[in-house]
Amino acid sequence: MQPTQKLWWQKPLRIIQPNLQVRDTDRIQPRRLAAQMKDMGANAIVFNVGGIYAWYPSKVPFHTVNGHLPPHTDLLDNVIKACHEEGIRFIARFDFSKAEDSVYLRRPEWFVRKEGGEPEIVGAGRPGPWPLLMNTCINSGYRNDGVAAPVLREVLSRYEIDGVFFNAPGYMFCRCARCGRKYRELYGKELPPYSAELEPGFASRCMRDNMELLHGLIKQTRPEVAMILYYNLYRDNLYERAETTDLLCTEPQDILSLGQAHIPEFWKPALSIKLGRSLPERPAPFGIVHSCPGMDWRHTGLPVAEYRFWLAQIPAGGGQIWHSLTGVPDTITDKRILSTVAELNAHVARVESHMDGAEPLAQVALLWNADRSAEGWADALINKQVPFDVLLTEQAVPERLVRYRALLIPEGFVYPEGFVRTLEDYVNQGGYVITEGLLPEGTEGLPELLGISGDICVSEPLTASYLRFEGKHNPLQAGLEETELIAHRGRVVYCRPESASCRVLATLVPPFSPLESVGAPPERASLPVSHTDLPLALLNRTGTGGVLYFPFSVSHLINEYKLEEHYKLVENGIHLALGEERLLRITSYQGLQVTLFRKDGDLLLHLVNGAGRRPLRTTLPLHDLEVELLVEHPSGTYRVQPLIEGQELASRIEEGRLRFTVPRLDVWECIRISLDT
């Protein structure tokens, strides 16, 4: 039986999106643009086609045509043909989220209504002779049969586009009559006055209904045209997005203009891609990276070191890169952007054939609840170079969990019905559950799984308190043997071990002082109580696995204080679960990211260097990274090949592990480990 031929969009892609500015329309030279895209390493382009403005002579009523289009020629058709001549796929970008005020004056029922019925104007105070833009309602005709659907039909019938991408396709809170009717039909009650009071699924349902219409239209008209749709790390139903599209993309924007106090977390691209990859049997998700340090500074570029680090996380996480630029190369004045994009694409091209079809290889799974608690665990795992997958609640089923040795459950996770029983089976069969903090009320069987009595209570917020390691050869104290105490702060679940198999590994040292007097005077700083039997870490062995419970928020300490002791505590908990079967060990550096994939017997080890204070001003090379990998054939000979830069690395087998040294890591390297036959 012949293998099924892959469609173009099921093959590796490197996308460049030149965000077009209408006043620069006459500077777009189709053949020159296509050649520039090819030189920069793109094999697909996202180009403005319709929505707010038509970039072609549209005949659809209320579809505003870009007034700067050149006369007597079809710019869009010329760009598409030039791209195809260069072997570049053309993806049409549409944005129906806004329209000019001239449309509003003739079809006011298509637009978002605020409290009191006023329309929502975008950028009313913007300087320059621009028409007003106004937000359109997702349930209105503009985004559906009034404009969006006929525009799609027009473009699909007239132009040889390869794909469709909808920008800003999401729900915007609207109190129009149409939204009110839909809300009553779905929930049997009135639309609330504030967005925070909406039923949780309403926004996603509105987007799904809209995208279902447009996706169906595309497939009915030209089935070979692929559709791309956003997903979000925090506020989306990933399954609903996947049901109405062929490809998924996410946008982990590095918004440095938020200021140093609000700088995006270093793990944002990596975690976003992990979430997208959690859906099985789909093409790898796209990670859109804007070249600018914020849309308010969109005409300049990110610092090069920061930009390179942010970009590299996308392919290293198993995603496909999508560069978002302001303008075309001839209008971009920050030429650092162009060389950085070209460099990254060249590196991706060396790796993508190896990564095509590769599967992530991780012994640890993190249940994602889109909360700060899950972020803290992700921070610790990444900074301790522990490969892990992200799972949604719906994916935490026995046939999926069996792949992992350890399952992390962050504080605040909502246990679905029957989930404790799933965890019991998982642990009995050799898995380890690691969880923390306040327990969900009324979750039957959970205290028994943790090995504690059901008679628990919660402390007030504690300060000036400590965690004390208990007992000799304590697995949580590895690397911390010279200290009995590490810093603690926050609420504690006061609990007692009840199972004979439950061991207390750490206890609480209560506050020695109120916060206002911790340093006044120092001679009164002695601990009034140096030991208690109040657990801060319990290990309950059951079946061939176990449950490690921290009755406080480890993730909060990671998020707030970034102390090495707390990172080490997490790493030790992971090592307790994995033991000598731990697949990967590597020299640990703060800022070093590691991912591991498997394909056809090969291992692909990605290393991304983010060392230094962000935003990164310069690349700080990491030297002499010692790597140990547990391999399937410890008596075999292996080849260790850096695919991006460098020469083949010498390796050796010791104690069943493959060992080698990476002499220098600048930004990103992908190392192929293959059995030499």
Side-chain angles (χ1 to χ4, degrees):
M1 184 175 178
Q2 292 293 326
T4 304
Q5 184 70 27
K6 282 187 176 183
L7 300 171
W8 72 266
W9 50 268
Q10 295 171 326
K11 301 174 184 178
L13 293 171
R14 285 162 266 124
I15 292 177
I16 296 179
Q17 176 186 345
N19 281 294
L20 305 178
Q21 303 161 92
V22 290
R23 289 190 175 178
D24 293 334
T25 304
D26 61 353
R27 298 186 64 182
I28 299 173
Q29 302 175 49
R31 290 185 179 278
R32 177 173 171 80
L33 175 62
Q36 289 170 326
M37 295 294 99
K38 185 175 182 179
D39 288 345
M40 291 170 65
N43 57 13
I45 184 175
V46 171
F47 192 90
N48 285 18
V49 170
I52 301 174
Y53 295 108
W55 287 72
Y56 66 98
S58 175
K59 303 300 182 183
V60 175
F62 308 108
H63 191 206
T64 306
V65 176
N66 173 5
H68 298 269
L69 288 176
H72 315 304
T73 185
D74 190 330
L75 175 67
L76 178 59
D77 189 52
N78 292 337
V79 171
I80 294 172
K81 289 176 178 176
C83 286
H84 285 167
E85 288 171 3
E86 294 287 3
I88 296 171
R89 296 289 180 172
F90 185 95
I91 299 166
R93 177 186 182 271
F94 296 90
D95 187 339
F96 296 103
S97 68
K98 300 168 187 65
E100 284 195 355
D101 54 358
S102 60
V103 180
Y104 168 77
L105 293 173
R106 292 176 289 166
R107 287 291 184 273
E109 70 274 19
W110 286 349
F111 291 80
V112 165
R113 297 292 173 168
K114 299 186 291 186
E115 180 69 24
E118 293 298 315
E120 196 165 77
I121 300 171
V122 180
R126 181 174 186 163
W130 298 97
L132 292 177
L133 289 180
M134 309 177 87
N135 285 331
T136 59
C137 171
I138 198 170
N139 296 311
S140 77
Y142 193 86
R143 294 222 215 170
N144 294 277
D145 290 327
V147 175
V151 165
L152 273 178
R153 291 191 189 96
E154 182 178 59
V155 170
L156 290 166
S157 65
R158 286 172 53 179
Y159 299 100
E160 290 301 314
I161 64 171
D162 299 295
V164 169
F165 165 62
F166 292 106
N167 186 64
Y171 168 83
M172 300 177 196
F173 183 62
C174 174
R175 290 187 50 78
C176 74
R178 186 176 285 103
C179 287
R181 286 195 299 271
K182 183 164 188 166
Y183 200 82
R184 283 193 298 273
E185 291 169 2
L186 288 172
Y187 305 110
K189 55 185 177 181
E190 294 299 316
L191 183 73
Y194 304 105
S195 61
E197 299 172 359
L198 286 171
E199 287 291 324
F202 184 64
S204 184
R205 172 63 183 270
C206 290
M207 182 172 170
R208 178 186 174 179
D209 290 348
N210 181 225
M211 290 298 111
E212 190 172 44
L213 169 72
L214 301 181
H215 180 253
L217 188 156
I218 294 168
K219 293 306 172 182
Q220 291 165 14
T221 308
R222 285 179 53 195
E224 78 281 6
V225 172
M227 176 174 153
I228 309 174
L229 192 60
Y230 279 114
Y231 70 92
N232 187 282
L233 185 59
Y234 293 99
R235 55 181 186 275
D236 242 339
N237 184 316
L238 188 61
Y239 284 88
E240 288 195 354
R241 298 294 79 77
E243 288 173 358
T244 57
T245 194
D246 300 301
L247 296 157
L248 288 165
C249 66
T250 188
E251 190 175 310
Q253 192 176 351
D254 195 6
I255 312 176
L256 302 184
S257 62
L258 292 173
Q260 182 63 38
H262 306 286
I263 191 170
E265 292 284 1
F266 73 94
W267 40 253
K268 194 174 179 183
L271 207 54
S272 297
I273 294 300
K274 285 180 183 291
L275 178 64
R277 285 201 63 119
S278 71
L279 292 179
E281 300 178 359
R282 292 190 65 88
F286 293 100
I288 302 175
V289 177
H290 289 280
S291 61
C292 58
M295 289 302 157
D296 46 346
W297 291 332
R298 67 182 303 162
H299 296 89
T300 190
L302 284 161
V304 172
E306 176 80 6
Y307 192 19
R308 295 168 79 199
F309 165 61
W310 208 256
L311 287 169
Q313 292 183 59
I314 302 297
Q320 303 187 82
I321 192 64
W322 177 327
H323 304 276
S324 176
L325 316 179
T326 299
V328 296
D330 288 341
T331 66
I332 294 172
T333 56
D334 190 341
K335 300 305 180 186
R336 301 175 303 171
I337 293 170
L338 306 181
S339 57
T340 303
V341 168
E343 175 193 64
L344 189 282
N345 282 345
H347 292 170
V348 171
R350 296 171 194 168
V351 170
E352 63 188 11
S353 64
H354 300 279
M355 284 293 295
D356 187 19
E359 293 294 330
L361 185 57
Q363 297 171 296
V364 177
L366 170 64
L367 282 177
W368 180 249
N369 62 351
D371 190 79
R372 286 284 288 163
S373 56
E375 292 178 353
W377 284 100
D379 184 318
L381 293 170
I382 292 174
N383 267 318
K384 281 301 177 182
Q385 293 77 48
V386 177
F388 70 99
D389 289 341
V390 167
L391 296 184
L392 296 170
T393 304
E394 302 92 326
Q395 299 164 343
V397 293
E399 55 269 26
R400 190 80 174 262
L401 293 181
V402 73
R403 306 178 192 176
Y404 305 103
R405 178 70 171 173
L407 176 68
L408 305 184
I409 305 179
E411 185 175 46
F413 177 78
V414 178
Y415 284 64
E417 185 176 353
F419 189 56
V420 172
R421 179 60 186 166
T422 298
L423 295 179
E424 289 172 352
D425 293 342
Y426 170 72
V427 171
N428 285 330
Q429 294 169 20
Y432 276 77
V433 170
I434 303 176
T435 189
E436 62 166 350
L438 304 180
L439 302 178
E441 293 184 6
T443 306
E444 187 176 348
L446 186 56
E448 291 81 3
L449 179 67
L450 303 181
I452 61 176
S453 71
D455 183 20
I456 61 176
C457 61
V458 180
S459 76
E460 71 280 16
L462 304 179
T463 58
S465 50
Y466 302 92
L467 178 149
R468 178 185 292 280
F469 295 106
E470 296 290 347
K472 294 182 179 180
H473 310 296
N474 188 326
L476 295 184
Q477 200 175 7
L480 298 168
E481 292 87 356
E482 295 187 359
T483 180
E484 291 182 344
L485 308 177
I486 64 173
H488 171 268
R489 179 173 284 190
R491 295 184 184 275
V492 172
V493 177
Y494 293 139
C495 58
R496 299 286 181 186
E498 189 164 85
S499 168
S501 60
C502 187
R503 176 187 173 190
V504 175
L505 297 178
T507 55
L508 173 69
V509 176
F512 70 88
S513 168
L515 189 59
E516 72 272 9
S517 62
V518 292
E523 60 268 21
R524 297 184 64 185
S526 59
L527 296 170
V529 176
S530 59
H531 292 77
T532 72
D533 60 357
L534 299 169
L536 284 191
L538 304 101
L539 175 63
N540 187 33
R541 303 273 189 183
T542 177
T544 55
V547 180
L548 178 61
Y549 173 47
F550 297 103
F552 67 98
S553 179
V554 181
S555 59
H556 171 75
L557 297 178
I558 295 285
N559 284 328
E560 293 299 317
Y561 306 110
K562 312 293 186 188
L563 296 179
E564 170 59 20
E565 292 88 336
H566 301 140
Y567 286 100
K568 190 64 178 174
L569 184 67
V570 170
E571 183 185 28
N572 288 343
I574 297 296
H575 185 68
L576 186 156
L578 304 184
E580 292 308 309
E581 297 302 309
R582 183 171 175 176
L583 188 60
L584 172 69
R585 295 190 181 99
I586 187 170
T587 307
S588 185
Y589 281 100
Q590 190 84 0
L592 172 64
Q593 298 189 23
V594 174
T595 52
L596 189 62
F597 292 82
R598 178 164 47 199
K599 180 183 177 182
D600 300 333
D602 290 350
L603 297 179
L604 296 158
L605 176 65
H606 291 266
L607 307 174
V608 177
N609 175 13
R613 182 180 178 182
R614 294 191 46 241
L616 301 180
R617 286 172 284 182
T618 187
T619 298
L620 303 176
L622 302 180
H623 296 275
D624 298 326
L625 296 172
E626 299 289 338
V627 180
E628 296 181 18
L629 272 171
L630 193 63
V631 290
E632 293 182 2
H633 304 284
S635 59
T637 302
Y638 286 84
R639 295 187 65 191
V640 180
Q641 302 168 282
L643 297 176
I644 297 175
E645 297 177 356
Q647 299 177 339
E648 187 168 329
L649 303 177
S651 63
R652 64 193 185 280
I653 298 285
E654 293 180 359
E655 301 175 350
R657 293 181 175 273
L658 179 71
R659 301 172 188 258
F660 59 89
T661 301
V662 180
R664 178 184 172 112
L665 175 65
D666 288 309
V667 180
W668 170 39
E669 184 57 87
C670 177
I671 300 173
R672 179 188 180 207
I673 298 106
S674 56
L675 190 63
D676 193 352
T677 56

